[in-house]
Amino acid sequence: MPLGTTAPPAPGQLLRHRLGNGLTVVLLPDPEVPAVAVAVAYDVGYRSEARPGFAHLFEHLMFQGSSTLPKLAHAERVQAAGGAFNAVTQRDHTCYYQVVPAEALELVLFLEADRMRGPRVTPETIANQVAVVAEEINQNFLGRPYGGFPAFTLPPVLFHEEANAHNGYGDTGTLSGVTPEECERFFADHYTPGSAVLAISGAFDPQHALDLAEKHFGALPARPRTPRRDCPERLPDAERTHTLTDPLAPAAAVAVGWRCPAPGTPEHLAALLVAALLGDPQHGRLRRTLVRDGHAAQAAVLPSLTGQAFDARDPEALVATAVCAPGSTPGQVADLIRHQLDLLAVPDGFNEAELARAVRRLRAAWYSETDPVAARARRAAAFDVLLGRAELVTELPRLLATVDAGQVRAAAEALAACPPAVLTVEPAGGRP
């Protein structure tokens, strides 16, 4: 399937094509990288599931064999080729990815197409993976201080709708009784070629890669995709608060979450710069006022509930978290955080030099984050599934530089005007 007779794309230039079955293919060639990364993102996540934790469990099941390959064959073949693989489930997408030597590109495309053709799910594999997920929950959520904070513990305070508020990890109770038939329905509803984006990044010839994508994915039949679940969330009219007790926490902590504009909008870009002004690890307002000068807390600002910008659709949140220092209470720290946001909303609340520094650091962080070939493929696939804009991988630094001080001030004012959600985590024995 020819791309055309134009000159080869420059490194970093993104190419897009749609196969006859609806699969979107995004190509990011970079001949300077001696490897290729392949990512397949599906338009399904926590907000699509009928029982908490099911989308994440199903991600595990997609590694347990297919109609043509036995259990673990996918992993074994990628590793035998000298590559690495992983997957992640977020609120609005699930992404499978691997990075391999350039000569193994066709192998990985075959494996991902095979996965898209259909998993092999049995009662035994379900029981096995429920146990694996339960162990993940114990290690990452229940068995560590501040587990799930704030990604899974703040949404029930911030949101009203169950699809937005529930814990995407689930637990053994919510995952008990899963059947192969339930898994087959979930696959049929959400794992269609038309609901997926295949992204390839690294050292490859674009025409050859597209021919391989057509060879391995083109034969998969088009299937109706379930309409995306709409999860509207009204803006809060009052502050919402909640307190959790954490038996492993050495000190009290607090998270303050504000509903932010829809990802991908100009207003959202401005909100990201508000987050940068507050949370820059060296020069941010919270580090200066809470940590360096006030000695009140160890603080951070997250551009989303997961800590990565553009990981979900609307509704999203900007989140400030802090672990309280001795002598400081969560309420005092939350008030200090809100005060710093209020200051950014007033005239002369920040100067041009401060904003320019925040833009530079945010752009540098983005270049660093997307430098690994696997990160570029993952981000491109996710951006296209979530926003239809894989181009954000290369365009975001330029877009950040176009946001002016007035837009940032307006974003801070809008955030400050919206009542936040405040989650407090207390040690089991009280504050030390």
Side-chain angles (χ1 to χ4, degrees):
M1 184 169 294
L3 288 172
T5 58
T6 57
Q13 181 181 350
L14 183 145
L15 301 170
R16 184 196 306 272
H17 186 78
R18 189 179 295 272
L19 301 186
N21 56 16
L23 176 68
T24 297
V25 182
V26 173
L27 305 177
L28 296 97
D30 186 351
E32 301 301 319
V33 178
V36 292
V38 172
V40 180
Y42 293 89
D43 191 358
V44 59
Y46 303 148
R47 285 197 268 222
S48 305
E49 60 194 12
R51 61 165 86 201
F54 187 85
H56 177 220
L57 171 66
F58 195 81
E59 171 212 308
H60 281 247
L61 293 172
M62 288 287 280
F63 284 98
Q64 301 304 304
S66 67
S67 58
T68 57
L69 292 177
K71 182 179 179 179
L72 302 182
H74 187 123
E76 291 169 352
R77 294 192 184 191
V78 171
Q79 291 170 333
F85 67 94
N86 211 331
V88 62
T89 304
Q90 299 288 9
R91 284 181 292 154
D92 295 312
H93 76 287
T94 302
C95 188
Y96 303 84
Y97 57 94
Q98 43 266 300
V99 57
V100 293
E103 59 268 20
L105 172 60
E106 183 168 10
L107 167 67
V108 175
L109 292 176
F110 159 74
L111 292 171
E112 285 294 352
D114 182 69
R115 187 186 342 242
M116 190 179 289
R117 187 172 290 107
R120 178 185 298 175
V121 180
T122 67
E124 291 74 23
T125 58
I126 292 173
N128 174 268
Q129 292 309 303
V130 167
V132 171
V133 170
E135 184 58 28
E136 276 192 26
I137 294 171
N138 286 331
Q139 289 185 1
N140 300 331
F141 192 44
L142 302 177
R144 67 192 315 177
Y146 314 111
F149 174 81
F152 292 122
T153 52
L154 183 60
V157 190
L158 184 64
F159 299 127
H160 294 81
E161 300 298 326
E162 176 65 15
N164 301 322
H166 77 275
N167 179 353
Y169 251 141
D171 54 42
T172 52
T174 63
L175 295 176
S176 64
V178 172
T179 65
E181 293 74 22
E182 185 177 359
C183 295
E184 290 169 4
R185 289 194 300 271
F186 192 79
F187 177 82
D189 287 343
H190 300 291
Y191 278 75
T192 70
S195 66
V197 174
L198 163 68
I200 308 173
S201 177
F204 61 87
D205 173 75
Q207 184 61 63
H208 180 57
L210 188 58
D211 290 343
L212 291 177
E214 182 68 48
K215 173 183 175 182
H216 293 289
F217 289 89
L220 300 178
R223 293 186 280 116
R225 58 178 293 182
T226 298
R228 180 180 297 159
R229 186 175 185 181
D230 188 19
C231 304
E233 185 78 37
R234 67 183 186 274
L235 289 173
D237 52 14
E239 181 176 304
R240 303 183 73 192
T241 62
H242 186 67
T243 299
L244 294 174
T245 300
D246 185 342
L248 301 178
V254 63
V256 183
W258 293 272
R259 287 281 303 281
C260 70
T265 62
E267 293 78 10
H268 180 249
L269 288 176
L272 293 182
L273 284 167
V274 172
L277 288 168
L278 289 173
D280 182 278
Q282 296 299 321
H283 304 285
R285 296 293 184 90
L286 296 190
R287 174 168 178 78
R288 184 167 69 246
T289 58
L290 269 69
V291 182
R292 191 187 68 193
D293 297 340
H295 306 289
Q298 302 174 32
V301 177
L302 309 177
S304 73
L305 285 163
T306 65
Q308 285 191 312
F310 302 103
D311 254 1
R313 299 186 188 95
D314 188 56
E316 245 300 12
L318 183 152
V319 184
T321 66
V323 176
C324 301
S328 297
T329 69
Q332 292 169 340
V333 172
D335 287 343
L336 290 170
I337 291 171
R338 283 180 288 207
H339 179 61
Q340 290 304 314
L341 175 63
D342 291 339
L343 289 178
L344 295 180
V346 301
D348 302 321
F350 58 90
N351 58 45
E352 293 288 348
E354 188 178 6
L355 177 58
R357 182 171 58 217
V359 171
R360 287 195 302 270
R361 293 184 68 87
L362 205 56
R363 294 177 72 188
W366 186 256
Y367 286 128
S368 177
E369 179 187 337
T370 57
D371 179 63
V373 65
R376 260 175 285 159
R378 286 176 54 195
R379 284 298 214 165
F383 285 168
D384 219 68
V385 160
L386 294 171
L387 304 172
R389 293 186 60 196
E391 294 81 2
L392 276 172
V393 171
T394 56
E395 290 181 358
L396 186 59
R398 177 186 61 80
L399 293 173
L400 288 169
T402 67
V403 182
D404 62 34
Q407 291 171 296
V408 174
R409 192 171 293 109
E413 184 178 7
L415 287 165
C418 188
V422 181
L423 172 66
T424 298
V425 177
E426 292 280 9
R431 270 173 262 130

